[in-house]
């Protein structure tokens, strides 16, 4: 290997190292409720610094892929086929293993029996970060082997144009289950095997590493591959810098100009997202070549080089540490008790039989969702009707839950009565009921005439209580006279989660009420559990004055912890190939 190639690879290692450190940082804040804004993903459309880390790594993988396949002269052979298939399968297995391990550890932490925690395949996520790396490596390698390299820019352009058209005609930029990305993933994998994205206060089964959105990611990898080709073919660092800056700036400018019609979104890996992020990656790589190879400033590199030499192995290690830190218990308070929905349902049944309306409501929720008991929706409706018919207050939750049962269950469909129940719950200032009733006015459900003004008033009431989805709806009402109906369907927005009642307060409670309170405690769990993660975060909060700063400090500590292992491998010149 020539010295020039070694220097070139150092620049790539540093870029990979910066990227891996960034991935570990953004994936491991102290708390997800207080994240420093630049370290959080854009909710749906848009771009933050955090949205750059994964595409930068995809770009680096494409560059390195050229170096790797060049050893085989880009010609198909049994040895090359074995290498590509082996790495693809290995990446898939690693991705599945991490998800399985996460379910196992957190299941055990919640008190699940080993046999239950270990058998989490029915909810195992099929696709993810490692699976996306695997697919892009596999199909990118096939393109590099079987397609003439001078045709690859046309392949990249064709993929990005076709994908933009598919998203355009398939509602691909709408946060909705009508989005073609979500439709394909739900049809092929099913919602239980997918990541659920959240935006505007509600969540849907839409996987950011899904099937269709892998297509532009392959083009993303091929762009990196072509950059690797340019680096190998041109040994003059100044030419490399100029070329990277020229093409990078062109990509950024083109992506920026097109994003008005083709929104930039990581969640669907839009074509403009590919252009902007690869353009930025080229620009950063050019800067690294200037600093490291031209100017010779290398002392600062050692920290990131420790990550860059073994990027994937350290990312795997970081993922495992993150799971262990969050699941392993250091201390439990004296009153700690894991949730036990089965025992809770037994106690709810006893209290419900003695006429406790709150118990009837909560037992109905258990029957409707299958929590602690088998799903029995007719029984759930019967219990809710009993709760609504009693004189016990408050009844807002029972009104609301029965309305949901009427509107979402075909065996109990009575939209007119559901609207009446929602009105009663909304009059009790229940924010979910106010929002759902607003939707009924917006879409003319349950015999109501369409009334966008009344809907906006109800959204405002719910928004004032902090319901994020209602706040988003209010913004939509201000931006369009049709409000939320302009871009969404009723089923996209309607809140379907039932509400459980809390404990009954008071010093002189009946035996039935005490039984009910015990059931609530069993359903929710009691006491506090200190994990490695929470202990370190508590330390961070103690040395800072702000939870957001504490969250950032935790992420930095986590990176440094992982860096220790990377530095040991780096100093011992150990490279773990994945």
């Amino acid at each position: 290997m020539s010295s020039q190639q070694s220097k070139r690879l150092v620049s790539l290692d540093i870029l990979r190292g910066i990227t891996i450190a960034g991935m570990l940082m953004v994936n491991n804040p102290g708390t997800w409720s207080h994240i420093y804004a630049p370290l959080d993903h854009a909710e749906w459309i848009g771009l933050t610094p955090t949205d750059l880390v994964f595409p930068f790594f995809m770009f680096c993988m494409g560059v390195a892929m050229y170096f790797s396949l060049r050893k085989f002269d880009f010609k198909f052979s049994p040895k090359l086929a074995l290498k590509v298939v082996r790495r693809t399968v290995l990446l898939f297995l690693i991705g599945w293993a991490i998800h399985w391990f996460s379910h196992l550890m957190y299941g055990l932490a919640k008190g699940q029996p080993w046999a239950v925690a270990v058998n989490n395949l029915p909810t195992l996520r099929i696709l993810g970060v490692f699976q996306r790396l695997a697919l892009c490596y596999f199909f990118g390698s096939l393109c590099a082997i079987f397609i003439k390299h001078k045709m690859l820019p046309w392949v990249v352009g064709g993929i990005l144009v076709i994908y933009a058209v598919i998203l355009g005609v398939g509602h691909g930029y709408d946060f909705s289950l009508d989005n073609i990305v979500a439709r394909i993933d739900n049809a092929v994998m099913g919602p239980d095997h997918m990541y659920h994205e959240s935006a505007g206060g509600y969540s849907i089964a839409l996987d950011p590493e899904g099937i269709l959105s892998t297509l532009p990611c392959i083009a993303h990898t091929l762009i990196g591959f072509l950059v690797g080709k340019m680096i190998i073919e041109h040994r003059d660092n100044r030419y490399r810098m100029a070329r990277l800056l020229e093409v990078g700036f062109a990509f950024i400018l083109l992506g920026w100009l097109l994003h008005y019609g083709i929104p930039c979104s990581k969640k669907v890996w839009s074509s403009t997202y590919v252009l902007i992020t690869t353009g930025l990656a080229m620009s950063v790589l050019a800067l690294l070549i200037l600093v490291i190879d031209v100017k010779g400033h290398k002392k600062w590199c050692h920290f990131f080089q420790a990550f860059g030499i073994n990027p994937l192995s350290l990312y795997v290690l970081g993922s495992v540490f993150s799971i262990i830190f969050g699941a392993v218990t250091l201390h439990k308070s004296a009153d700690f008790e894991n949730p036990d929905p089965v025992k809770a349902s037994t106690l709810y049944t006893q209290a419900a039989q003695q006429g406790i309306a709150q118990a009837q409501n909560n037992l109905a929720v258990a029957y409707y969702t299958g929590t602690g008991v088998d799903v029995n929706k007719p029984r759930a409706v019967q219990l809710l009707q009993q709760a609504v018919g009693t004189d016990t207050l408050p009844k807002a939750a029972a009104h609301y839950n029965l309305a949901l049962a009427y509107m979402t269950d075909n065996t109990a469909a009575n939209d007119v009565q559901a609207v009446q129940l929602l009105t009663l719950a909304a009059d009790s200032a229940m924010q979910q009921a106010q929002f759902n009733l607003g939707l009924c006015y917006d879409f003319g459900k349950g015999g109501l005439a369409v009334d966008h003004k009344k809907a906006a008033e109800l959204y405002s009431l719910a928004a004032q209580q902090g319901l994020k989805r209602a706040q988003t709806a209010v913004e939509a009402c201000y931006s369009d006279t049709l409000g939320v109906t302009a871009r969404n369907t009723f089923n996209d927005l309607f809140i379907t989660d039932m509400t459980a009642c809390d404990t009954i307060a008071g010093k002189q409670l009946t035996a039935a009420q005490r039984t009910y309170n015990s059931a609530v405690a069993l359903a929710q769990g009691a006491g506090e559990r200190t994990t490695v993660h929470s202990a370190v975060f508590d330390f961070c909060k103690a040395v800072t004055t702000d939870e957001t700063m504490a969250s950032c400090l935790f992420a930095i500590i986590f990176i440094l912890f992982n860096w220790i292992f990377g530095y040991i491998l780096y100093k011992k010149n150990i490279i773990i190939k994945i």
Side-chain angles (χ1 to χ4, degrees), residues 8-26 53-54 56-61 284-285 288 292 300-315 559-560 562-563 566-567 570:
R8 179 175 57 250
L9 289 174
V10 170
S11 300
L12 181 62
D13 284 339
I14 299 307
L15 181 57
R16 284 190 301 200
I18 293 171
T19 301
I20 290 297
M23 290 173 76
L24 291 173
M25 171 175 276
V26 302
V53 289
F54 190 26
F56 271 36
F57 189 79
M58 297 299 303
F59 172 83
C60 291
M61 184 179 77
V284 173
L285 183 56
L288 290 174
I292 297 170
W300 66 275
C301 297
H302 297 304
F303 179 85
F304 293 109
Q305 198 163 11
F307 284 111
I309 293 295
N310 290 289
L312 282 178
S313 57
L314 288 178
Y315 186 65
I559 290 174
L560 292 174
N562 284 270
W563 175 82
Y567 184 73
Y570 169 59

Side-chain angles (χ1 to χ4, degrees), residues 275-306:
L275 291 171
I276 293 172
T277 55
T278 53
L280 288 169
M282 290 182 214
S283 302
V284 173
L285 183 56
L287 177 63
L288 290 174
I289 291 175
L290 171 65
V291 173
I292 297 170
D293 296 323
V294 176
K295 300 293 185 180
H297 301 309
K298 300 180 180 179
K299 291 183 180 180
W300 66 275
C301 297
H302 297 304
F303 179 85
F304 293 109
Q305 198 163 11

